[in-house]
Amino acid sequence: MASRSNADAPVRWAVAGGGMLGMTLALRLREAGHDVTLLEAAPGLGGLVSAWRIGDITWDRHYHVTLLSDARLRAVLRELGLDASMRWVETRTGFYSGGRHHSMSSTPEFLRFPPLNAVEKLRLGATIFTASKIKDPGGLEQIPAADWLRRRSGRGVFEKIWLPLLRAKLGDNYRDASAAFIWATISRMYAARRSGLKKEMFGYLPGGYAALLEKLGERLRAKGVEIRTGAALERVSGTPGGGVTVAVRGDGERTFDRCAITLPAPTVSRLCPDLDAGEHALLSGVRYQGIVCASLLLKKPLAGFYVTNITDPAPFTAVIEMSALVDPDQLGGHHLVYLPWYVDAGDDVAFTEADASLQARFWPALKRMHPHLDDGDLAAFQVSRARHVMAIPTLGYSSKLPPRDTSVPGLHIVNSAMICNGTLNVDETVGVAESAAPELAALPPLAVAANRATPARA
Ligand SMILES: Cc1cc2nc3c(=O)[nH]c(=O)nc-3n(C[C@H](O)[C@H](O)[C@H](O)COP(=O)(O)OP(=O)(O)OC[C@H]3O[C@@H](n4cnc5c(N)ncnc54)[C@H](O)[C@@H]3O)c2cc1C
């Protein structure tokens, strides 16, 4: 827990962004004795983990699982009295390759996996093992992921396995990703298997993330954090004499001693004109992968794999059968499937494609993969879009990040782009907040003329 060194002077903090990062940071700053206002643009808290209504159920708008090894997230769950309710399930992973489904959930299945010959399997296994043994991924940050994988696994494995997987997550941006991304992905997979029973156990909270958000929101309010939803920041600027002035759309300005901004890097650059040219350049240089993610409610199950990786051409980049993990009683007896399509944040064509057009492309492709489905099995189809999901781990990524403490006194950037040599997940995100909180909580207040509320500017 963060502790405040400047005991007699609470700092008035604004935390911008009510996703898991902003909520965790707001909680820790408040626990350290500061006055905290959490500002979130959306009508509710949660950001990428927020829930929505699809058909007659409420569940996460993006698929989420927790690993047994997600220690930082689970600590938060414990604080909220929720960890004991987590349900842990041994899941299966599939590959759709050459028009067929293959299970890849155990060593015997890996050895039987038809798309690869014996030498290729050996090289794939050796690549994964080598990556899992690397302790310091720093050197990998300078090597393109594709080069590293081709060299380690050979062309055949690269073309048949790695390339489709890289494209699935990073699209064409895979060319710019460093080998540290592969290391981080494999490390997370290994951590999942190391803890627990050497099996891949995935967990979820009954009620989904909505249940966690409700408890965390309650905890924040009970501790005295002021939560303002529907509060879209338009500008964050330095204030002569000290402090940071935050302009909220339609709601005027307020000055705080300090502001921690958890929004994506390009948004920070846009909202904070007072940052210096070097900071703007670094923030704009962080490139993002976005997602167009369809949720489907089905009357029938698919193949029982939580994740199906697709190596054949398809309009979506994987199939996530959530109901292979989540008990159907949580899902109104339906089968919930996500069809993610990861795209570049700047891909306007993808982000403006209508739901009906996406359904016309996705549903026939899913039926081809699962011929037992027919049109009567589709109970609902709904699409979520998010442009700034994951900062692309480009070459030398950790040396290209803007500083947390900016040139604007009192303005601090604490966002998920600060995850270096890791994958984007809630555990890492909470980790960014937890590691920043003690240092931020110890900062003194800046002189603020007044905590004034003025009418919105025209
Ligand atoms: C498809 C998908 C699948 C995932 N699967 C998993 C998984 O299985 N396991 C896992 O652990 N993680 C998973 N994640 C990752 C996880 O969702 C993220 O790590 C986490 O939610 C990031 O939280 P954040 O607070 O950094 O960002 P966000 O959730 O993006 O929060 C930022 C907040 O800022 C708000 N905001 C933006 N602009 C403004 C503004 N101008 N003014 C005020 N507020 C603003 C947004 O509305 C948002 O609420 C997944 C993510 C996606 C998209």
Side-chain angles (χ1 to χ4, degrees):
M1 189 181 291
S3 68
R4 181 159 61 90
S5 65
N6 202 338
D8 50 344
V11 175
R12 279 172 291 185
W13 275 96
V15 174
M20 283 303 291
L21 207 165
M23 292 175 86
T24 309
L25 187 57
L27 179 65
R28 298 306 178 223
L29 291 172
R30 180 67 195 139
E31 285 171 340
H34 299 299
D35 294 336
V36 182
T37 302
L38 180 62
L39 299 159
E40 163 58 46
L45 296 171
L48 294 174
V49 302
S50 61
W52 65 358
R53 192 103 187 128
I54 168 162
D56 53 1
I57 66 161
T58 298
W59 202 260
D60 310 0
R61 58 196 297 139
H62 304 116
Y63 51 95
H64 281 91
V65 292
T66 301
L67 306 190
L68 282 165
S69 50
D70 284 346
R72 296 160 291 196
L73 169 57
R74 292 188 61 196
V76 173
L77 287 166
R78 257 193 307 282
E79 279 175 55
L80 300 173
L82 294 174
D83 193 50
S85 324
M86 289 289 290
R87 295 194 189 164
W88 299 99
V89 180
E90 189 182 346
T91 54
R92 292 166 66 225
T93 300
F95 268 78
Y96 185 74
S97 188
R100 292 187 50 208
H101 292 278
H102 307 280
S103 181
M104 248 268 226
S105 313
S106 64
T107 309
E109 283 175 353
F110 174 67
L111 294 173
R112 279 199 303 273
F113 188 58
L116 299 180
N117 65 36
V119 174
E120 288 172 335
K121 280 174 195 154
L122 213 63
R123 293 195 74 176
L124 175 58
T127 306
I128 294 172
F129 183 73
T130 305
S132 77
K133 292 288 158 210
I134 295 173
K135 294 277 174 277
D136 175 11
L140 296 179
E141 268 203 272
Q142 306 303 332
I143 306 170
D147 290 359
W148 192 80
L149 289 169
R150 255 192 226 101
R151 215 168 38 241
R152 295 270 163 193
S153 293
R155 251 184 77 138
V157 178
F158 181 77
E159 301 288 336
K160 284 187 255 186
I161 301 288
W162 291 118
L163 185 56
L165 292 182
L166 282 172
R167 275 194 192 282
K169 226 24 190 195
L170 299 170
D172 284 342
N173 289 322
Y174 84 85
R175 294 194 177 89
D176 304 318
S178 81
F181 174 71
I182 303 297
W183 175 86
T185 307
I186 291 172
S187 299
R188 183 161 166 80
M189 187 183 89
Y190 257 76
R193 286 170 190 250
R194 258 201 309 273
S195 47
L197 310 165
K198 300 265 173 211
K199 291 173 184 164
E200 194 170 81
M201 300 285 278
F202 282 169
Y204 71 95
L205 191 63
Y209 259 92
L212 166 59
L213 291 172
E214 196 187 318
K215 279 269 186 200
L216 190 47
E218 271 170 20
R219 175 64 56 95
L220 288 165
R221 285 186 193 93
K223 295 248 177 197
V225 173
E226 181 191 349
I227 299 178
R228 292 185 56 208
T229 51
L233 271 64
E234 288 188 318
R235 199 181 55 260
V236 182
S237 37
T239 308
V244 179
T245 298
V246 169
V248 172
R249 187 182 306 147
D251 198 26
E253 294 181 344
R254 264 174 84 175
T255 298
F256 296 86
D257 292 310
R258 295 183 179 276
C259 174
I261 187 159
T262 72
L263 313 184
T267 311
V268 177
S269 179
R270 182 168 53 79
L271 294 181
C272 306
D274 296 347
L275 293 171
D276 69 27
E279 288 163 333
H280 281 295
L282 287 169
L283 287 165
S284 315
V286 180
R287 289 161 48 203
Y288 277 78
Q289 198 68 358
I291 193 163
V292 175
C293 187
S295 290
L296 287 74
L297 272 194
L298 301 179
K299 295 184 183 158
K300 286 184 193 143
L302 299 182
F305 300 120
Y306 174 67
V307 181
T308 301
N309 299 300
I310 304 171
T311 63
D312 290 358
F316 36 81
T317 47
V319 176
I320 313 295
E321 189 174 357
M322 201 70 206
S323 34
L325 168 71
V326 176
D327 199 319
D329 70 4
Q330 292 283 312
L331 303 169
H334 293 293
H335 300 273
L336 175 61
V337 170
Y338 295 87
L339 301 178
W341 179 29
Y342 285 90
V343 291
D344 187 89
D347 188 340
D348 292 334
V349 175
F351 281 107
T352 51
E353 185 171 351
D355 286 21
S357 164
L358 288 160
Q359 182 173 338
R361 293 195 301 116
F362 284 19
W363 176 237
L366 188 68
K367 281 194 296 178
R368 271 195 300 280
M369 290 174 68
H370 297 277
H372 68 288
L373 292 176
D374 57 48
D375 289 342
D377 295 324
L378 181 61
F381 184 100
Q382 210 162 286
V383 182
S384 173
R385 299 167 181 81
R387 276 199 196 248
H388 296 112
V389 171
M390 182 183 83
I392 297 164
T394 48
L395 295 187
Y397 181 77
S398 57
S399 62
K400 295 181 191 163
L401 287 173
R404 184 190 69 199
D405 303 331
T406 71
S407 61
V408 178
L411 177 58
H412 308 274
I413 304 168
V414 189
N415 63 12
S416 67
M418 296 186 169
I419 299 170
C420 287
N421 301 321
T423 57
L424 180 78
N425 57 67
V426 176
D427 186 61
E428 290 273 10
T429 302
V430 167
V432 171
E434 299 285 19
S435 55
E439 285 176 30
L440 293 181
L443 294 171
L446 298 173
V448 180
N451 189 7
R452 59 202 149 91
T454 56
R457 289 186 178 174

